[in-house]
């Protein structure tokens, strides 16, 4: 399905809802977010990543220092922290397995394809596949019997890059 881009007012409302608008800090973050390139807030997924990123900023952050890669890196770091909590794997270990899978596989991966993507750490790959198959991870999700996929191609592309 296709998700229509958010216009400026819809993006403002979206950020307001996610940032708990009404406080001076939230309004500062909303203003900052909307001053960034439109591609960083016009799609709901990217706007969600942006809202989570904006919550971590301190006052006076320069607009010029905020890039798409910075926001995606923050989102992936957050997802890997969740993944580590759920699996017990070290975040860097899980990142390496998923980076390899993102680079070597299509969007939808069978268990065999996923396990072969990182033969050096088969135990970690098995753990990740099992957790993803049971909907315990945010970064991976089931994609039919015996298959998983990245939650969005944006995450896969970022990891592969």
């Amino acid at each position: 399905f296709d998700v229509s881009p958010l216009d400026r007012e819809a993006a403002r409302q979206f950020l307001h809802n996610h940032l708990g608008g009404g406080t001076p800090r939230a309004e500062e973050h909303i203003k900052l977010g909307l001053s960034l390139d439109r591609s960083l807030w016009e799609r709901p997924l990217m706007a969600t990543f942006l809202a989570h990123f904006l919550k971590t900023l301190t006052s006076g952050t320069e607009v010029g220092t905020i890039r798409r890669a910075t926001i995606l890196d923050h989102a992936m770091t957050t997802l890997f922290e969740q993944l580590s909590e759920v699996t017990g794997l070290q975040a860097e270990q899980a990142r390496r397995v998923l980076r390899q899978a993102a680079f070597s596989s299509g969007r939808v991966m069978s268990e065999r394809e996923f396990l072969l993507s990182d033969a050096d750490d088969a135990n970690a790959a098995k753990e990740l596949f099992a957790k993803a198959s049971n909907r315990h991870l945010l970064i991976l999700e089931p994609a039919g019997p015996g298959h998983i996929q990245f939650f969005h191609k944006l995450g896969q592309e970022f990891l592969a890059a």
Side-chain angles (χ1 to χ4, degrees):
F1 63 92
D2 186 32
V3 176
S4 299
L6 301 173
D7 63 26
R8 186 172 209 76
E9 186 51 40
R12 181 178 206 341
Q13 187 61 48
F14 185 94
L15 292 173
H16 177 86
N17 293 343
H18 279 76
L19 295 171
T23 67
R25 180 181 164 101
E27 292 305 316
E28 177 186 345
H29 286 155
I30 292 167
K31 184 178 177 183
L32 174 63
L34 292 175
S35 72
L36 298 170
D37 185 79
R38 178 181 192 92
S39 68
L40 298 178
W41 51 260
E42 73 176 350
R43 296 286 180 182
L45 179 65
M46 205 57 211
T48 301
F49 288 163
L50 175 62
H52 286 282
F53 176 74
L54 290 172
K55 286 179 183 178
T56 68
L57 296 181
T58 57
S59 288
T61 299
E62 294 292 322
V63 173
T65 63
I66 301 172
R67 301 276 186 268
R68 183 180 182 94
T70 308
I71 295 167
L72 288 173
D73 186 58
H74 173 76
M76 290 297 128
T77 299
T78 301
L79 290 171
F80 279 108
E81 288 170 1
Q82 181 266 348
L83 186 147
S84 291
E85 290 173 15
V86 170
T87 64
L89 298 172
Q90 296 295 317
E92 198 47 49
Q93 179 185 24
R95 186 183 287 255
R96 188 177 52 70
V97 171
L98 291 180
R99 185 179 297 130
Q100 193 62 29
F103 185 73
S104 64
S105 303
R107 175 124 193 260
V108 175
M109 299 164 278
S110 69
E111 183 173 12
R112 183 178 185 281
E113 290 170 321
F114 189 75
L115 296 179
L116 287 176
S117 70
D118 193 350
D120 293 339
D121 204 343
N123 290 335
K126 283 180 186 176
E127 175 73 10
L128 290 171
F129 192 90
K131 294 291 185 185
S133 295
N134 291 312
R135 299 186 185 277
H136 293 252
L137 303 178
L138 297 174
I139 197 166
L140 295 169
E141 61 189 13
H147 290 78
I148 60 171
Q149 66 184 9
F150 284 90
F151 73 101
H152 192 279
K153 74 176 185 173
L154 186 62
Q156 183 176 4
E157 290 170 352
F158 182 78
L159 286 168

